[in-house]
Amino acid sequence: MKNKYVIMLGTLAVIALVLAVLTYQNRSDELRAEATDIAARKYKAAIKEEVPELSAVKDGPLDVPLLNQMDAPRLYNGCEVTSLAMILLYAGYDVTKNELAEQIPYVPLQYDNGLRGNPNKGFVGDMQNGPGLGVYHGPIMDLAKKIAGDKAVDKTGETVKEAIYEPLDQGNPVWIVTTVNFTQTGDMETWETPNGEADVTYSVHSVAVTGYTEDTVLLNNPYGQKNQEVDRENFEKAWKQLGSQAIYIDK
C-alpha cells in the first residue's frame, strides 16, 4: 500500500511539474507575443514619423478653385496658365486663365531654319487653337512673380518632398509639369532650339496639386476634374521625368 502511495505522489508531482512547464511556456509565448506587438507598434510609429501627416491628408485636399482650359474663351493647349490661375486664385489674386495667356511669352513651334521652339523661353506654338506644345517653369515663374512678387516660389529641381509635399503641408497648392496620363512616357524627344537642346514630349501636361495620401496624389486637372486621384508612385516618376518642375504661391 505504501508503495502505491509513493507512486501516486510521484505521479502527482510529475503532473504538477508538467503543468508548471506548460504554464511557463504559455506565459513565455504570451510575453513573446506582447514584445512582438510592442515592436510592431514602435516600427509603425517610426515609419509614421518619416512620413509626417499633412494638413492636406488630415483635413482632405485643399479646396482650390477648378478652372477648365476648354471653357470659353478656350485655351486648347493652355494647361500651364490654367493651372497657374488656379493656384493664384487660391492665394487671393484676381486672375483669369486668358489674362495669363496674354501675358506669357510665345515662341514658334518650328523656325524657318528647322530649329524648334524652346519651352524654357515661352509657350511653344499656338496655345488657343493649336498646334502647340507647352511652356516650362521659367516663363511661368516670371509671370507668377509679376503678379505675386516674392510670394511666388520656384522649387524646380528639388526633391518631391521639398517641392510638393512640404508646400502642401503649409496649405499651398503646387503648380507642376507632368504627363497627360500621370505616368512616365516613352515619347520624350530632344529638340534643337535657338537656345540649345530641350527635352520635350507631346504628352506634356500641367496641373495644380491639391493634396496627397500614402498611395495617391490629388490634383485639379485643367481638363475639368477637381481633386482627381492618381497613383503616387507613377505621378512622382512622371514629374521627375519632366524635370521636377514645381511652383507655389506662399500665402
Side-chain angles (χ1 to χ4, degrees), residues 50-93:
E50 291 176 8
V51 185
E53 290 187 4
L54 305 184
S55 58
V57 172
K58 290 190 288 187
D59 302 328
L62 302 175
D63 188 18
V64 179
L66 177 66
L67 298 178
N68 191 327
Q69 68 191 76
M70 297 300 181
D71 287 346
R74 183 184 74 168
L75 296 175
Y76 186 78
N77 293 308
C79 57
E80 295 93 352
V81 294
T82 304
S83 296
L84 177 61
M86 286 192 266
I87 69 169
L88 284 167
L89 285 169
Y90 184 79
Y93 297 91

Side-chain angles (χ1 to χ4, degrees), residues 154-195:
D154 191 346
K155 303 292 282 186
T156 298
E158 299 192 22
T159 67
V160 67
K161 178 182 177 182
E162 296 166 332
I164 298 178
Y165 301 140
E166 287 182 354
L168 286 170
D169 244 344
Q170 301 158 5
N172 299 309
V174 185
W175 175 97
I176 62 98
V177 175
T178 179
T179 67
V180 291
N181 296 318
F182 308 107
T183 188
Q184 283 182 299
T185 181
D187 65 356
M188 292 292 297
E189 302 177 19
T190 300
W191 282 4
E192 295 292 339
T193 82
N195 319 101

Side-chain angles (χ1 to χ4, degrees), residues 224-237:
Q225 191 165 351
K226 185 179 176 73
N227 295 329
Q228 178 180 352
E229 282 193 85
V230 300
D231 180 79
R232 178 171 163 174
E233 183 178 356
N234 288 333
F235 170 87
E236 292 180 0
K237 289 178 179 179

